[in-house]
Amino acid sequence: MSARLRRILFCFCALLIFSTGLAQADSSFFNLVRSRIEQQVRPNAQAEGYFCRGEPICGVQLMPSFYETRHFSPVWFDGNGLLPCARTLVSFLETIDQEGLRPSDYHLDIIDHILSQLPGHPFPPGDESAVAWADLDLLLTDAFLLMAAHLSGGRINPETLHPDWIINQRPVDLLNILDTASSGASMVETINRLRPGHAGYLGLRQALAGLRQVEAGGGWPLVEGSETLHPQDTDITQVITLRQRLGISADAEAQDSSRDLAIYDQDLVNAVKAFQRSHGLTPDGLVGRKTRAAMNVGIKERIRQVELNLERWRWLPGDLGDRYIAVNTADFSLQVVENHQKFLAMRVVVGRPARQTPVFSAKMSYMVLNPYWNVPYTIAVEDILPRLTENADYLTDQGIKVFSDWSDTAVEVEPHGVNWKNYGRSNFPFRLRQDPGEKNALGRLKFIFPNKFAVYLHDTPQRSLFNHVQRDFSSGCIRVENALQLAGYLLVDDRRWTPEILRATLAAGQRQVVRVTRPINVHLLYMTAWVDQEGILQFRDDIYDRDRHLDAALMERNPYLPPGLTRSAPELTVPGN
């Protein structure tokens, strides 16, 4: 055998021995990792709380079944180190504030710390390195589960804040998504599928980025002054500041340098009107107390308002429907949407703060022409009963009849024969029913989408209420500005109901139930910030004080988790933490 051949053979044997040693080291290392993972997830699956390196592992109940199918092998790294999907996940978590969520809620600080302490290749000898990699895997898995749950369904359970907020959230199989994302599927595509696909969400997300740019540039100035500013007024300080304020928020266009910037000219008036329209104010071009107050809301507050409403978008069903009715209570508005385009729009009157309109989704199945109004118990005892003690003719004047109770066998009672002073909230057995007619509180039309709140849309004889900018006057139901137009839209496919027949039937005054041939989704929403179809960022007052409660809930450290995940309890002593 030649010397050259002996050298080749020697090198080959050495390489084989070295490779075998590496394989043995690799096997030993991953055995330690698997052992550590199994040690952590199996005994803690039913624990009230489990912490890994000081971080609450909220998905501990899901982890055993998931890791068992993998024989407790790590998810996020292999023999070559951290997998690309893990790097993509970490990168996304670092920028998750673009979704209005906090990076700190997803173990990012401790994940970054562990990564900074580990070598690129997970083969150093010793238990300490295996423990670190195993803990990193558990933290990344929990971070993914949290991210997926929050991005697809919201960080907060709305029903814990508001009992009258019932949303049909889209179901998400977190473990299946995790398995797919960690098995070679694009992490970017996975995240995009989890994120709400509604144009409203994406537009608001883009608006958030724009507001943060404004914040980075120093925000906008306060518009000082107490006197109302009128067109053609000259107030150097106030007008110039006003131009700066509206220029920063993109309500005003760039100004011609040859113009006298101290005069409240028509271009600036138009910019003020645009601002007023985007903030739900009367677009009169006058800079008074309300307009100045809206302009002086700070950039941080507006950013937070957008973040809160991004959360509300995550609560919504993934599919609102090809056609649907959306009522935004905070905006006092109704829209009919077909194929993502606004088909109808009208003003509405919603519940006052003491009797708030709830938030939920349901399907409208029928309407009532010339409806009776069965007066709700609360309205009967709180609003009508006090009037009866002063004026016994009130019921007759309003066309309201009295029945002995709420049963089908109830008999009509003569109102003048009742001593109303003997009754109150705790003892009021009567049912009050208003007959169809001009004074009927429901007007000529009532639109029904069955729900547990007994809330519906309806006409109203009180037309002047629609002239108010803030229209929270009802007891929870929604009064629509143009009920006849809405009814015509709903019946357009039903040949039995031409516009002429509909108007004639209403004029006849007889009660009639009409089925909607194509039932339509109804979504009662509460949005205080959104981007409209023209791309304009809109803000509204928080009439029900719901932003404040949501803000407080989102500031809590431990987030809401959907069924299948658990909240963390006080820290347990875990070996190796």
Side-chain angles (χ1 to χ4, degrees):
M1 182 183 297
S2 66
R4 182 171 178 276
L5 186 58
R6 283 198 300 270
R7 284 197 299 274
I8 293 173
L9 184 60
F10 174 79
C11 290
F12 174 77
C13 292
L15 180 61
L16 181 62
I17 293 171
F18 180 72
S19 299
T20 302
L22 281 180
Q24 291 173 344
D26 182 17
S27 176
S28 175
F29 173 82
F30 277 97
N31 283 338
L32 289 173
V33 170
R34 284 189 286 268
S35 177
R36 168 68 177 182
I37 292 175
E38 182 176 6
Q39 170 196 357
Q40 297 306 312
V41 299
R42 264 191 170 160
N44 290 296
Q46 303 303 322
E48 300 240 342
Y50 163 53
F51 281 63
C52 179
R53 299 193 175 228
E55 286 290 300
I57 302 300
C58 300
V60 68
Q61 287 187 343
L62 291 176
M63 288 185 179
S65 62
F66 177 72
Y67 274 104
E68 281 176 5
T69 62
R70 305 174 55 85
H71 305 290
F72 298 98
S73 294
V75 179
W76 304 101
F77 65 93
D78 61 12
N80 295 315
L82 206 63
L83 292 170
C85 61
R87 298 187 186 280
T88 303
L89 174 60
V90 172
S91 296
F92 176 70
L93 295 178
E94 290 173 342
T95 61
I96 202 168
D97 62 334
Q98 296 175 7
E99 313 290 336
L101 297 168
R102 290 185 308 193
S104 60
D105 286 337
Y106 306 95
H107 316 309
L108 193 58
D109 289 342
I110 189 64
I111 287 172
D112 285 341
H113 175 73
I114 296 175
L115 286 173
S116 69
Q117 302 297 312
L118 288 174
H121 193 281
F123 286 92
D127 293 354
E128 185 175 344
S129 176
V131 166
W133 278 99
D135 289 352
L136 174 64
D137 204 77
L138 293 174
L139 288 165
L140 285 170
T141 296
D142 196 57
F144 179 90
L145 292 173
L146 283 169
M147 177 275 295
H150 296 168
L151 200 58
S152 62
R155 185 180 177 278
I156 300 296
N157 178 2
E159 294 179 41
T160 63
L161 295 179
H162 315 290
D164 60 351
W165 196 303
I166 309 296
I167 292 292
N168 300 319
Q169 294 178 326
R170 46 183 175 150
V172 174
D173 187 338
L174 296 178
L175 290 184
N176 182 59
I177 294 172
L178 171 60
D179 184 58
T180 301
S182 61
S183 301
S186 169
M187 179 63 71
V188 173
E189 291 182 5
T190 298
I191 291 170
N192 287 337
R193 285 196 299 270
L194 288 167
R195 180 188 291 119
H198 303 298
Y201 180 87
L202 301 177
L204 206 55
R205 183 175 178 271
Q206 185 176 358
L208 176 62
L211 288 175
R212 285 187 173 146
Q213 287 183 345
V214 172
E215 181 185 33
W220 45 60
L222 293 177
V223 180
E224 305 290 352
S226 58
E227 298 296 324
T228 298
L229 192 65
H230 297 80
Q232 299 306 311
D233 279 357
T234 302
D235 183 323
I236 296 177
T237 300
Q238 189 172 183
V239 173
I240 290 180
T241 303
L242 184 62
R243 290 187 189 279
Q244 293 173 341
R245 168 66 180 84
L246 296 179
I248 290 172
S249 61
D251 292 285
E253 298 179 355
Q255 300 298 319
D256 183 350
S257 59
S258 64
R259 182 181 301 161
D260 188 343
L261 301 182
I263 297 177
Y264 185 33
D265 58 19
Q266 189 57 49
D267 286 345
L268 190 53
V269 169
N270 292 338
V272 168
K273 288 182 177 179
F275 176 90
Q276 291 170 327
R277 282 190 291 270
S278 66
H279 289 73
L281 302 168
T282 302
D284 55 13
L286 305 179
V287 183
R289 178 179 58 84
K290 290 184 178 181
T291 297
R292 190 178 287 109
M295 289 181 176
N296 289 340
V297 174
I299 184 66
K300 289 185 181 297
E301 288 80 4
R302 289 306 189 197
I303 286 174
R304 188 54 172 167
Q305 196 171 351
V306 169
E307 291 175 342
L308 299 180
N309 285 278
L310 280 170
E311 174 73 359
R312 290 181 176 127
W313 272 108
R314 291 188 285 265
W315 293 343
L316 292 181
D319 183 9
L320 298 178
D322 293 333
R323 53 191 288 273
Y324 58 87
I325 296 171
V327 175
N328 184 358
T329 305
D331 185 42
F332 317 106
S333 67
L334 177 151
Q335 291 186 1
V336 176
V337 178
E338 274 195 21
N339 298 319
H340 310 292
Q341 297 298 317
K342 181 169 60 178
F343 192 85
L344 287 179
M346 62 188 69
R347 292 173 291 188
V348 299
V349 173
V350 302
R352 52 188 180 270
R355 298 177 185 173
Q356 299 178 11
T357 296
V359 175
F360 64 91
S361 296
K363 192 173 288 289
M364 183 182 293
S365 55
Y366 67 96
M367 67 181 75
V368 181
L369 314 185
N370 298 308
Y372 291 116
W373 181 41
N374 287 301
V375 182
Y377 184 83
T378 300
I379 297 176
V381 297
E382 292 185 2
D383 300 346
I384 295 180
L385 184 57
R387 297 184 182 185
L388 291 178
T389 59
E390 299 175 0
N391 179 13
D393 293 327
Y394 175 79
L395 295 178
T396 303
D397 294 343
Q398 297 298 316
I400 297 176
K401 294 180 179 178
V402 182
F403 293 86
S404 57
D405 54 52
W406 285 81
S407 70
D408 294 336
T409 58
V411 296
E412 188 173 349
V413 175
E414 168 55 47
H416 291 89
V418 178
N419 186 351
W420 296 107
K421 293 181 180 180
N422 293 335
Y423 295 94
R425 171 175 283 276
S426 60
N427 64 328
F428 192 85
F430 306 104
R431 172 165 60 95
L432 306 183
R433 190 190 75 185
Q434 189 176 35
D435 289 337
E438 293 182 357
K439 293 184 178 181
N440 188 286
L442 305 184
R444 294 291 188 180
L445 285 157
K446 176 181 177 182
F447 305 89
I448 307 299
F449 38 102
N451 60 86
K452 73 173 190 176
F453 303 105
V455 165
Y456 43 83
L457 306 178
H458 65 88
D459 187 19
T460 178
Q462 297 178 292
R463 311 304 302 172
S464 62
L465 296 180
F466 296 110
N467 296 327
H468 293 262
V469 174
Q470 182 166 326
R471 298 183 292 277
D472 51 345
F473 304 114
S474 85
S475 295
C477 290
I478 301 102
R479 307 175 193 180
V480 298
E481 180 182 20
N482 199 330
L484 184 61
Q485 185 182 30
L486 181 58
Y489 168 80
L490 295 171
L491 297 175
V492 69
D493 296 324
D494 192 336
R495 296 180 180 179
R496 297 169 299 175
W497 289 99
T498 65
E500 295 74 21
I501 293 176
L502 178 59
R503 283 193 292 267
T505 305
L506 291 172
Q510 295 298 313
R511 180 181 182 275
Q512 186 168 348
V513 175
V514 180
R515 296 288 170 182
V516 177
T517 55
R518 280 204 302 158
I520 185 171
N521 291 334
V522 178
H523 304 290
L524 304 188
L525 311 176
Y526 187 86
M527 296 287 184
T528 60
W530 72 95
V531 175
D532 65 21
Q533 290 196 339
E534 286 70 42
I536 298 173
L537 178 59
Q538 301 279 338
F539 290 106
R540 294 296 183 271
D541 289 340
D542 180 20
I543 59 171
Y544 292 162
D545 200 28
R546 286 176 167 170
D547 281 0
R548 182 173 62 87
H549 293 292
L550 178 55
D551 176 57
L554 287 171
M555 292 300 293
E556 292 182 5
R557 174 62 180 89
N558 289 338
Y560 159 74
L561 295 169
L565 297 182
T566 59
R567 278 187 179 276
S568 300
E571 182 167 356
L572 300 179
T573 301
V574 179
N577 282 5

